[in-house]
Amino acid sequence: RGSLSSSPTSDDDDSSVYKLLERGTVNYEACAGVVGLGSYFASLVSCSNAGDDSFIEGNQTRGSAPTGEACSEDSSGMQDNDVSVNVIKEAYRRIRAVETPLVEALSLGLSRCHKVRILGTGEASGRLECHASLPTVSFVHEIISPSEIVAACESHGICCRCSSFLCTPQLANDFDFDTSEGVVRLSLVHYNTLDEVNMVLNVLERIP
């Protein structure tokens, strides 16, 4: 709380954590964001059937809820101050339940092209360990430059980026990619769909 609101634990304690993290004024954006995030987590948990097959199907078809599933009628009954550690854990569990198959589908589709190398994959499978990673996939192509891939995606309304993304020269050397072009990065979230993943793969396959 002190780090977000700049409320000191002791007026005379210069080593307080809040003073190390927040040297200026109150971080209003962070405070407002935390409140909004709590409301969003509560809305995810109040939706029924999350984590099972119907939750995944709902994500594909997009219903009225943030994740695409149908919310129960009393979903607005949970207030911001009802957000507990268990609610946050359950929200993240439900988010991961949708994001994992999306990343797996994207990783599998990319790995089918022998000229594509996905960064951070196991040597044997060439695919991401999706259960242990964020829903972000970075890759390079042996022939097509990252900027060309991004341009092709953007021409079809697909948002992605290419860069070294603050990667150090040493780490770039370990991953063996050119920092002048960087890598292509595709980021997924739980309100993306498998149809959208397939659309990305189709666009990539058609790049000349």
Side-chain angles (χ1 to χ4, degrees):
R1 177 178 178 275
S3 298
L4 290 176
S5 65
S6 292
S7 298
T9 54
S10 172
D11 292 337
D12 299 324
D13 186 7
D14 290 335
S15 63
S16 298
V17 173
Y18 89 94
K19 291 184 178 179
L20 297 175
L21 298 179
E22 184 59 72
R23 289 290 185 180
T25 58
V26 175
N27 191 333
Y28 296 106
E29 294 85 355
C31 295
V34 167
V35 172
L37 187 61
S39 300
Y40 185 61
F41 281 165
S43 71
L44 290 181
V45 173
S46 66
C47 293
S48 60
N49 299 324
D52 60 17
D53 290 341
S54 63
F55 183 45
I56 304 301
E57 292 168 2
N59 176 259
Q60 292 176 341
T61 57
R62 293 199 182 196
S64 59
T67 55
E69 59 175 325
C71 280
S72 59
E73 294 181 359
D74 62 348
S75 61
S76 61
M78 185 176 292
Q79 303 298 319
D80 294 340
N81 56 10
D82 293 328
V83 179
S84 64
V85 172
N86 288 335
V87 167
I88 294 173
K89 287 182 178 180
E90 177 62 11
Y92 272 116
R93 185 192 69 78
R94 296 183 179 199
I95 289 172
R96 178 54 64 96
V98 175
E99 289 178 345
T100 297
L102 297 178
V103 180
E104 287 177 343
L106 179 59
S107 175
L108 176 60
L110 290 172
S111 66
R112 287 172 179 163
C113 177
H114 68 279
K115 293 183 179 180
V116 169
R117 178 169 58 89
I118 304 175
L119 276 67
T121 59
E123 294 183 2
S125 65
R127 294 168 57 188
L128 286 174
E129 296 294 334
C130 301
H131 66 278
S133 67
L134 294 172
T136 300
V137 179
S138 298
F139 67 94
V140 292
H141 192 279
E142 288 183 6
I143 300 173
I144 307 173
S145 69
S147 58
E148 290 177 294
I149 295 174
V150 169
C153 289
E154 289 180 343
S155 68
H156 289 81
I158 299 168
C159 183
C160 62
R161 292 180 60 198
C162 65
S163 174
S164 57
F165 300 104
L166 303 179
C167 180
T168 65
Q170 293 81 5
L171 191 58
N173 183 65
D174 290 342
F175 279 110
D176 190 24
F177 70 84
D178 181 8
T179 55
S180 63
E181 277 279 348
V183 300
V184 180
R185 186 173 72 180
L186 290 164
S187 300
L188 301 170
V189 288
H190 52 285
Y191 44 80
N192 284 126
T193 69
L194 285 175
D195 286 342
E196 290 171 336
V197 171
N198 290 329
M199 181 184 71
V200 171
L201 293 173
N202 289 334
V203 168
L204 294 176
E205 290 173 357
R206 294 173 183 172
I207 298 177

